[in-house]
Amino acid sequence: MTATLLATKRVEKPWGRHTLWPGFADPAHGGEKVGEVWFQTPHAGEPELLIKYLFTSEKLSVQVHPDDAAAQAAGYPRGKDEAWLILAAEPDSTIAIGTLEPMTHEQLRAASLDGSIEHLLDWKPVKAGDFYYNEAGTIHAIGAGITTIEVQQNVDLTYRLYDYGSDRELHLDAGVKVSDPVPFVPLPTPPSDGKDHQILSEGPKFVTERFAGGHRVIDLPAGVPGWFVPVAGSGTVDGVAFKAGECLLLEGRCEISSDAESDLLLAYPGDKRI
């Protein structure tokens, strides 16, 4: 019934870049590095989900996010599950997700303090097209040379465990408490339809779908918004034009028409597909 083009918020980060991605203007010559682009509604803190693009030139800190219960106990509306769709990666790019071996909280604290935690994480090589759903409590770090779309629960809540000797604040007490320092086990991924549609994740906090261009109808249940991300290509949703580098919020029954080369992502809250 409705499609709303979301506003963008560019976020400077020390690990960001001066060269971004098609659809995004590069920072002015000599300007600050852009690490993230957020897509926001007029009331930015209200929606359940948030879509970001991330552009990395350095490793991000070793960090963890709390689940709903721990976040709400700390005064936040929700915890933070997140997922990454890798758009591009340099040949040696990696993402750390989970630990190599199970650790106690005492071992995790000690390793965070002496820096050995960096070498106790499972650093996985990544390439364009890879997808990871990162549940709250999982220790992780995004490496350098990566462009990714991040789908996340909408809360700005990160506990840093280790930051490679920088002077940024760490959050050891809170971070260790909410961590589950064990090897990463990916959630089951539903099989592709063998054509042009793939369910990338099915809960627990949100569903992500990826599909090709053409004509498609999305019928969202009442009260369940959808975040529509054109990864590549262009088209219209209910008469609202879109192109790569944008994000639209969808409600109700929406008709999508896009060029054949389009690559489209849809995310919505819940633990099962619509």
Side-chain angles (χ1 to χ4, degrees):
M1 296 292 289
T2 61
T4 304
L5 190 65
L6 298 182
T8 58
K9 175 183 177 181
R10 293 161 72 95
V11 181
E12 297 173 359
K13 294 288 186 179
W15 44 261
R17 298 204 306 253
H18 292 117
T19 302
L20 303 183
W21 183 251
F24 299 95
D26 292 339
H29 182 70
E32 294 294 329
K33 295 179 178 180
V34 172
E36 300 179 354
V37 175
W38 300 12
F39 296 95
Q40 297 182 315
T41 66
H43 304 286
E46 292 181 359
E48 289 185 55
L49 302 183
L50 175 66
I51 305 295
K52 298 178 180 177
Y53 278 72
L54 276 65
F55 315 100
T56 73
S57 62
E58 302 173 9
K59 288 180 181 178
L60 278 65
S61 61
V62 176
Q63 54 191 239
V64 67
H65 308 298
D67 63 14
D68 287 350
Q72 290 163 1
Y76 291 84
R78 59 186 66 87
K80 188 175 175 182
D81 279 20
E82 59 192 0
W84 307 302
L85 174 62
I86 308 298
L87 301 183
E90 295 177 2
D92 58 350
S93 292
T94 55
I95 283 179
I97 184 164
T99 55
L100 292 171
E101 301 289 343
M103 302 173 66
T104 67
H105 281 180
E106 291 75 18
Q107 290 170 328
L108 175 60
R109 171 182 283 275
S112 299
L113 286 170
D114 67 19
S116 61
I117 184 62
E118 180 181 2
H119 308 292
L120 298 175
L121 301 178
D122 186 4
W123 290 92
K124 299 178 180 293
V126 294
K127 63 184 185 304
D130 287 348
F131 180 84
Y132 290 95
Y133 188 106
N134 180 42
E135 292 186 272
T138 304
I139 302 167
H140 62 279
I142 296 177
I146 293 173
T147 300
T148 183
I149 295 173
E150 179 174 290
V151 181
Q152 62 160 90
Q153 288 182 276
N154 185 19
V155 64
D156 192 9
L157 180 54
T158 297
Y159 296 141
R160 279 189 295 272
L161 298 172
Y162 176 68
D163 200 24
Y164 317 104
S166 82
D167 59 0
R168 291 202 299 170
E169 179 185 7
L170 299 179
H171 314 94
L172 283 181
D173 289 343
V176 169
K177 184 177 180 179
V178 304
S179 292
D180 188 15
V182 296
F184 173 72
V185 177
L187 295 174
T189 301
S192 169
D193 67 359
K195 299 177 183 177
D196 63 354
H197 182 240
Q198 173 71 62
I199 303 293
L200 298 175
S201 67
E202 197 165 21
K205 296 301 179 181
F206 51 83
V207 178
T208 47
E209 304 185 25
R210 190 178 189 181
F211 45 89
H215 183 268
R216 190 176 300 266
V217 173
I218 301 295
D219 198 356
L220 293 158
V224 180
W227 281 256
F228 176 71
V229 187
V231 180
S234 60
T236 61
V237 181
D238 286 357
V240 177
F242 66 78
K243 62 182 184 298
E246 296 177 335
C247 179
L248 292 82
L249 189 68
L250 309 184
E251 295 179 271
R253 185 181 187 277
C254 299
E255 292 196 31
I256 301 170
S257 180
S258 60
D259 55 62
E261 294 73 29
S262 292
D263 181 5
L264 308 172
L265 191 71
L266 179 69
Y268 46 90
D271 60 0
K272 57 183 179 296
R273 72 191 79 175
I274 56 176

